């Protein structure tokens, strides 16, 4: 069990986990970590404490971290920055400075990187490197052992996770033709088909307690969508968990049968209501996909994206969807902390590039040419999506180009529009308040789809999505 001494906060220091000083500069006999910290000079970047040694306290500028060590390690705390570890360098350095102290390095990099990182190497020149990027698995590169990696102290700009007023971020998702609403409120019609990165969260670090001390793990989830057919409806959805820098688990659903299937390792299994899909990191729980499904008129179909934290398992986002076999999928997403939006890339990201005057986009920057299976999906789903794509290519009536689709947007007659409004009101009336801008946009999208040949089932599936969303509000 974690020693009680390691659970006691030490002012001016961060607990770094199990580790030891690689090059000891000062040695003392002290009864606890707080007393040890008071003995280390201001130039010391770290100390380790082990009550079972003859000398209990070691101060240093080189820190080796590993769960195999017995000692408890601490690193200097810097205001507005979090200590991440040692032994890494920048993939994309944006600036370098000569810095005499750790604090000088932090002040130099503060206006340079957002949110960013800095690496302080007291024995090297220039000594301070500022790094860009969000994802620690791609931005930070391990240093070979012969290059004294323990002297490279890595800090990341502090991120405070603040609850959104009212608890949630609403009206983010994909439905119908497809109409996409991003995290910044931008709303547009997609004029492309294929597989796209819809929502990619990376760069978020979680910290939690284990038997060997506190552990920091980068959380990375990505959601892929496949749009296909005459109106490019959503036919497939793939959730991939790469937290900790390795592929942990995957979850997918297609419009073929609307059944969730999950992969742990190499095996695909059916996922039922209440199932949690998670691969442990050693003995530790890091992250999971949790499926909650209830059929019927007041049913719901939800996936909770959950990670371990200091306060226990926490939902970062909740995905709700409606799916009808041999038709299509609608989905919406709720993120529980506004600050987490900065870690999101993909079609739902904040600060999308400017849309066309018609409110359309091709999203070329988010499209991937990788096969569904190569992205982490199943061979069965990949085969189904190929079949759907081939069927859509055979339709001689299909408008395949983006310009052609854009020209067709206004091709609905007044009579057709009125009929579409009547049908959408029939199915969405119980859920949609036209005085609410988001609800009004959802209704207008329904009218657009029906007016352009989607059929009444599109309104029914849209109503099912709104019913599923109500389940989130009660969570």
């Amino acid at each position: 069990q974690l020693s009680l001494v390691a659970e006691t906060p030490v002012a001016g220091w961060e607990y770094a986990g199990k580790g030891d000083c690689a090059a000891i500069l000062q040695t003392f006999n002290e009864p606890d970590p707080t007393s040890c910290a008071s003995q280390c000079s201001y130039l010391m970047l770290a100390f380790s404490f082990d009550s079972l040694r003859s000398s209990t306290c070691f101060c240093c500028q080189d820190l080796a971290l590993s769960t195999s060590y017995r000692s408890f390690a601490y690193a200097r705390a810097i205001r507005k920055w979090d200590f991440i570890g040692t032994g890494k360098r920048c993939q994309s350095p944006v600036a370098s400075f000569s810095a005499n102290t750790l604090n000088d390095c932090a002040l130099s990099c503060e206006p340079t990187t957002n949110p960013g990182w800095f690496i302080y190497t007291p024995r090297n020149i220039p000594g301070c490197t500022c790094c860009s990027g969000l994802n620690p698995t791609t931005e930070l590169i391990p240093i070979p052992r012969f290059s004294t990696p323990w002297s490279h102290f890595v800090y990341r700009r502090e991120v405070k996770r603040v609850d959104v007023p009212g608890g949630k971020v609403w009206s983010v998702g994909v439905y119908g033709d497809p109409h996409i609403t991003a995290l910044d409120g931008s709303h547009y019609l997609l004029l492309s088909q294929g597989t796209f990165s819809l929502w990619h969260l990376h760069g978020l670090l979680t910290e939690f307690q284990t038997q060997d001390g506190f552990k920091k793990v980068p959380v990375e989830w990505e959601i892929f969508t496949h749009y296909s057919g005459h109106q490019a409806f959503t036919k497939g959805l793939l959730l991939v968990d790469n937290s900790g820098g390795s592929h942990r688990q995957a979850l997918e659903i297609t419009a073929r049968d609307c059944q969730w299937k999950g992969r742990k390792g190499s095996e695909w299994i059916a996922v039922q209501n209440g199932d949690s899909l998670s691969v442990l990191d050693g003995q530790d729980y890091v992250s999971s996909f949790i499926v909650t499904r209830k059929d019927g008129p007041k049913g719901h179909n939800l996936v909770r994206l959950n990670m371990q934290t200091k306060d226990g398992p926490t939902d970062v986002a909740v995905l709700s969807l409606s799916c009808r076999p041999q038709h299509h999928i609608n989905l919406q997403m709720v993120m529980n902390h506004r600050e987490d939006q900065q870690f999101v890339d993909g079609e739902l990201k904040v600060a999308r590039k400017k849309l066309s005057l018609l409110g359309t986009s091709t999203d070329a920057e988010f499209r991937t040419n990788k096969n569904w299976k190569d992205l982490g999906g199943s061979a069965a789903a990949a085969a189904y999506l190929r079949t759907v794509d081939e069927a859509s290519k055979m339709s001689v009536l299909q408008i395949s180009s983006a310009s052609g689709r854009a020209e067709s947007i206004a091709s609905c007659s007044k009579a057709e529009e009125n009929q579409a409004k009547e049908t959408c009101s029939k199915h969405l009336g119980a859920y949609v308040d036209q005085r609410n801008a988001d609800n009004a946009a959802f209704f207008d999208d329904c009218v657009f789809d029906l007016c352009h040949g989607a059929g009444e089932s599109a309104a029914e599936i849209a109503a099912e999505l709104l019913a599923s969303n109500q389940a989130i509000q009660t969570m």
Side-chain angles (χ1 to χ4, degrees):
Q1 293 294 320
L2 180 67
S3 171
L4 292 176
V5 296
E7 297 176 356
T8 304
V10 179
W13 299 82
E14 283 191 58
Y15 177 64
K18 291 294 188 69
D20 213 343
C21 286
I24 299 171
L25 298 181
Q26 295 176 317
T27 303
F28 305 95
N29 282 308
E30 297 295 335
D32 54 58
T34 301
S35 301
C36 180
S38 66
Q39 296 290 349
C40 297
S41 75
Y42 75 97
L43 289 176
M44 297 298 102
L45 300 179
F47 72 85
S48 60
F49 178 84
D50 186 349
S51 60
L52 298 180
R53 287 185 177 181
S54 56
S55 296
T56 61
C57 176
F58 306 90
C59 307
C60 56
Q61 292 184 326
D62 303 73
L63 186 62
L65 298 172
S66 173
T67 56
S68 63
Y69 286 109
R70 189 177 63 188
S71 301
F72 298 105
Y74 293 77
R76 284 281 182 188
I78 294 292
R79 181 173 172 268
K80 297 183 180 181
W81 299 86
D82 290 325
F83 173 74
I84 302 303
T86 59
K88 300 290 181 70
R89 65 178 178 86
C90 289
Q91 169 80 352
S92 307
V94 295
S96 296
F97 301 95
S98 177
N100 293 322
T101 66
L102 179 67
N103 193 59
D104 289 342
C105 184
L107 292 174
S108 297
C109 290
E110 186 169 338
T112 307
T113 54
N114 187 22
W117 318 74
F118 76 79
I119 298 177
Y120 180 59
T121 51
R123 300 182 181 183
N124 293 5
I125 297 176
C128 178
T129 305
C130 310
C131 316
S132 64
L134 286 170
N135 192 345
T137 61
T138 58
E139 175 55 31
L140 301 179
I141 304 172
I143 299 173
R145 294 179 65 88
F146 60 79
S147 299
T148 61
W150 308 285
S151 64
H152 292 66
F153 284 72
V154 184
Y155 286 79
R156 180 216 168 115
R157 189 180 297 276
E158 179 184 53
V159 177
K160 295 181 179 179
R161 304 181 72 239
V162 181
D163 286 338
V164 177
K168 314 289 182 183
V169 178
W170 294 100
S171 301
V172 177
V174 181
Y175 33 88
D177 194 9
H179 308 276
I180 299 177
T181 302
L183 285 164
D184 59 6
S186 57
H187 184 76
Y188 64 97
L189 176 68
L190 181 66
L191 300 180
S192 300
Q193 298 188 18
T195 301
F196 292 77
S197 175
L198 176 69
W199 182 87
H200 184 195
L201 182 142
H202 57 104
L204 175 63
L205 284 159
T206 186
E207 183 178 8
F208 52 88
Q209 184 175 309
T210 71
Q211 289 186 346
D212 296 316
F214 281 95
K215 177 187 288 188
K216 294 182 180 181
V217 179
V219 175
E220 181 177 0
W221 290 305
E222 189 160 12
I223 301 177
F224 296 97
T225 52
H226 188 86
Y227 310 115
S228 187
H230 175 63
Q231 290 178 296
F233 285 140
T234 304
K235 299 294 186 178
L237 196 65
L238 173 64
L239 290 71
V240 179
D241 188 343
N242 291 317
S243 298
S246 62
H247 181 78
R248 311 194 71 80
Q249 53 260 346
L251 183 69
E252 71 175 12
I253 188 171
T254 69
R256 184 181 71 84
D257 58 6
C258 295
Q259 297 297 315
W260 285 110
K261 296 178 179 65
R263 178 162 72 95
K264 295 169 65 174
S266 59
E267 180 183 5
W268 283 94
I269 58 174
V271 179
Q272 308 298 330
N273 175 47
D275 284 351
S276 175
L277 200 65
S278 177
V279 174
L280 297 181
D281 184 20
Q283 296 181 340
D284 303 321
Y285 167 73
V286 175
S287 57
S288 66
F289 300 130
I290 304 172
V291 175
T292 307
R293 182 166 186 167
K294 179 183 177 182
D295 296 326
K298 294 185 178 180
H300 56 263
N301 199 346
L302 310 176
V303 179
R304 294 160 45 205
L305 285 76
N306 187 275
M307 72 178 185
Q308 184 67 285
T309 70
K310 291 179 179 178
D311 300 319
T314 300
D315 288 344
V316 174
V318 181
L319 183 72
S320 66
L321 70 150
S322 58
C323 180
R324 183 167 296 187
Q326 304 305 319
H327 284 271
H328 65 273
I329 301 168
N330 287 335
L331 64 100
Q332 282 196 322
M333 173 169 276
V334 172
M335 294 189 66
N336 290 338
H337 297 86
R338 188 177 299 278
E339 289 297 322
D340 291 347
Q341 294 181 22
Q342 66 182 297
F343 303 114
V344 175
D345 201 355
E347 293 180 295
L348 298 184
K349 68 179 289 186
V350 175
R352 289 291 310 269
K353 69 178 184 180
K354 190 174 181 181
L355 303 172
S356 72
L357 294 177
L358 292 174
T360 61
S361 176
T362 60
D363 283 1
E365 66 271 36
F366 304 120
R367 181 169 182 168
T368 176
N369 292 321
K370 286 187 176 181
N371 179 275
W372 190 261
K373 186 178 178 181
D374 293 336
L375 293 172
S378 69
Y384 163 73
L385 296 175
R386 284 196 301 270
T387 300
V388 173
D389 291 344
E390 289 299 322
S392 67
K393 291 177 183 177
M394 294 176 65
S395 173
V396 295
L397 298 176
Q398 182 181 0
I399 303 170
S400 58
S401 69
S403 60
R405 286 205 70 204
E407 291 172 2
S408 73
I409 289 176
S411 64
C412 190
S413 69
K414 190 64 178 178
E416 291 171 326
E417 181 180 346
N418 289 336
Q419 180 61 47
K421 287 181 178 179
E422 182 179 335
T423 304
C424 290
S425 295
K426 170 185 172 183
H427 294 284
L428 303 183
Y431 304 103
V432 171
D433 179 1
Q434 291 285 0
R435 294 170 296 181
N436 180 287
D438 293 332
N439 287 347
F442 195 93
F443 182 84
D444 291 344
D445 292 339
C446 174
V447 172
F448 177 93
D449 291 346
L450 267 64
C451 206
H452 291 80
E456 188 170 357
S457 62
E460 295 171 350
I461 300 172
E464 291 168 4
L465 176 64
L466 293 179
S468 185
N469 285 344
Q470 287 189 345
I472 301 181
Q473 300 181 47
T474 61
M475 290 181 64

